[in-house]
């Protein structure tokens, strides 16, 4: 056996366990979800009826599903935009050597990321409490009673209340990623900019932003996937999809249909739509934000 064949065989043997696990726990279950989306099945009985694309036709006319899509897209856009601004701003401030208490604030901002989603749901449910919550009490202290709301009981604003909890949870995690990326930029660039008399804002847009663009681009995909996943947990723990399904999102609606409404096939059709949506939107965002990588 030649050296090349021996090398290839060794590489194949090393990769084999991971490939087997990937096929067993990713490829086969995903293919099964696509298959079950074509059946009418309650999930418990032995009778499965092939109905083709009827589940997808029903989805097209399901206003509750369409509302969950709108809520999910709203959360993705709002959470991504606000979190990226907050995380970049905090990272830009804390990376500076003259920032006092930098280490302390890094820890404080990162703490929400290590908390369980259920704990975060409990914290924000207490903050949003209409009678004893911190938010309404603070507005009362400022004599802004007109702004007081039932933050989790109002159909119009409940989804924004969930978005605020997601932003609070995510900011610290992305701050660390941007902090690491900004810290790797040579200080000589900023020293040269300082000698030229360039303002801080101009430094950020001309030096920092272009040089960490690849990190920002990567995190955009993380924003999309994590918002869809974490919104399901927060909505389930905080509102249960209410009031009147106004905070329902992709995965909570899929879960309720598959496991609460005995419509497993219909729930799998929703899962297929979510899979295609996430794959497509991630590919589009990656393509739109593609830039030449700047080396330094």
């Amino acid at each position: 056996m030649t050296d090349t064949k021996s090398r290839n065989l060794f590489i194949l043997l090393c990769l084999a366990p991971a490939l087997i696990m990937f096929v067993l726990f990713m490829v086969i279950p995903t293919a099964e979800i696509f298959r079950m989306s074509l059946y009418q099945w309650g999930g418990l009985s032995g009778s499965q009826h092939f109905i083709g694309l009827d589940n997808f036709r029903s989805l097209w006319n399901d206003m509750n599903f369409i509302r969950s899509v709108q809520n999910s897209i709203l959360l993705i856009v709002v959470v991504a935009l606000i979190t990226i601004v907050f995380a970049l701003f905090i990272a830009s401030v804390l990376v500076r050597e003259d920032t006092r208490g930098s280490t302390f604030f890094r820890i404080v901002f990162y703490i929400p990321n290590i908390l369980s989603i259920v704990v975060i749901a409990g914290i924000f449910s207490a903050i949003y409490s209409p009678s004893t919550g911190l938010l309404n009490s603070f507005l009362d202290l400022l004599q802004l009673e007109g702004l007081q709301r039932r933050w989790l009981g109002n159909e119009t604003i409940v989804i924004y209340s969930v978005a605020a909890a997601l932003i609070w949870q995510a900011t610290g995690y992305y701050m660390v990623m941007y902090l690491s990326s900004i810290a790797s930029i040579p200080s000589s660039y900023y020293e040269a900019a300082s000698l030229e008399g360039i303002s801080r804002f101009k430094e950020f847009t001309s030096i920092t932003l272009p040089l960490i663009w690849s990190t920002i681009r990567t995190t955009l995909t993380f924003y999309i996937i994590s918002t869809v996943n974490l919104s399901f947990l927060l909505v389930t723990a905080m509102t249960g999809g209410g009031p009147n399904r106004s905070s329902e999102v992709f995965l909570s609606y899929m879960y309720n249909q598959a496991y609460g409404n005995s419509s497993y096939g219909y729930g799998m059709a929703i899962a297929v739509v979510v899979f295609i949506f996430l794959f497509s939107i991630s590919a589009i965002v990656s393509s739109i934000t593609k830039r030449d990588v700047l080396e330094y």
Side-chain angles (χ1 to χ4, degrees), residues 4-216:
T4 304
K5 286 184 177 179
S6 299
R7 180 173 174 275
N8 290 339
L9 180 61
F10 175 74
I11 293 173
L12 183 62
L13 288 173
C14 291
L15 293 176
L19 288 173
I20 292 171
M21 298 283 281
F22 179 73
V23 171
L24 284 178
F25 295 105
M26 290 296 293
V27 176
I28 293 176
T30 303
E32 183 65 9
I33 287 172
F34 274 77
R35 187 184 74 82
M36 288 310 306
S37 69
L38 305 177
Y39 283 79
Q40 183 181 42
W41 184 40
L44 297 176
S45 68
S47 62
Q48 299 179 359
H49 302 288
F50 181 78
I51 56 173
L53 298 175
D54 282 359
N55 281 331
F56 296 96
R57 293 191 187 96
S58 299
L59 275 179
W60 185 256
N61 298 312
D62 186 343
M63 294 309 297
N64 289 325
F65 171 70
I66 292 173
R67 190 167 192 176
S68 73
V69 173
Q70 292 172 336
N71 284 339
S72 296
I73 293 174
L74 177 68
L75 283 177
I76 289 171
V77 173
V78 170
V79 172
L81 289 179
I82 297 180
T83 305
I84 202 170
V85 170
F86 279 176
L88 272 174
F89 175 75
I90 295 169
S92 300
V93 172
L94 294 184
V95 78
R96 299 177 62 82
E97 293 178 354
D98 57 351
T99 302
R100 298 180 64 179
S102 170
T103 303
F104 171 76
F105 287 112
R106 291 182 193 195
I107 295 171
V108 168
F109 284 119
Y110 192 74
I111 284 177
N113 191 252
I114 62 176
L115 296 177
S116 161
I117 288 294
V118 177
V119 174
I120 293 172
I123 292 171
F124 274 82
S125 294
I127 291 173
Y128 291 144
S129 174
S131 55
T132 59
L134 181 65
L135 187 52
N136 277 348
S137 298
F138 183 68
L139 291 172
D140 186 47
L141 184 68
L142 297 178
Q143 297 183 339
L144 296 173
E145 294 86 353
L147 296 178
Q148 291 180 336
R149 296 287 186 277
R150 295 176 66 237
W151 302 100
L152 297 179
N154 186 317
E155 293 183 23
T156 308
I157 60 174
V158 63
I159 198 66
Y160 297 100
S161 301
V162 174
L166 283 168
I167 292 166
W168 185 78
Q169 187 273 339
T171 299
Y173 174 76
Y174 293 104
M175 175 204 73
V176 171
M177 296 186 72
Y178 298 144
L179 202 59
S180 171
S181 190
I182 294 173
S184 66
I185 299 175
S187 59
S188 57
Y189 288 22
Y190 294 105
E191 291 168 2
S194 179
L195 291 174
E196 293 287 335
I198 293 176
S199 65
R200 297 290 187 194
F201 181 74
K202 187 68 176 175
E203 268 186 21
F204 179 76
T205 56
S206 303
I207 299 174
T208 307
L209 208 53
L211 291 179
I212 66 167
W213 184 253
S214 59
T215 303
I216 295 173

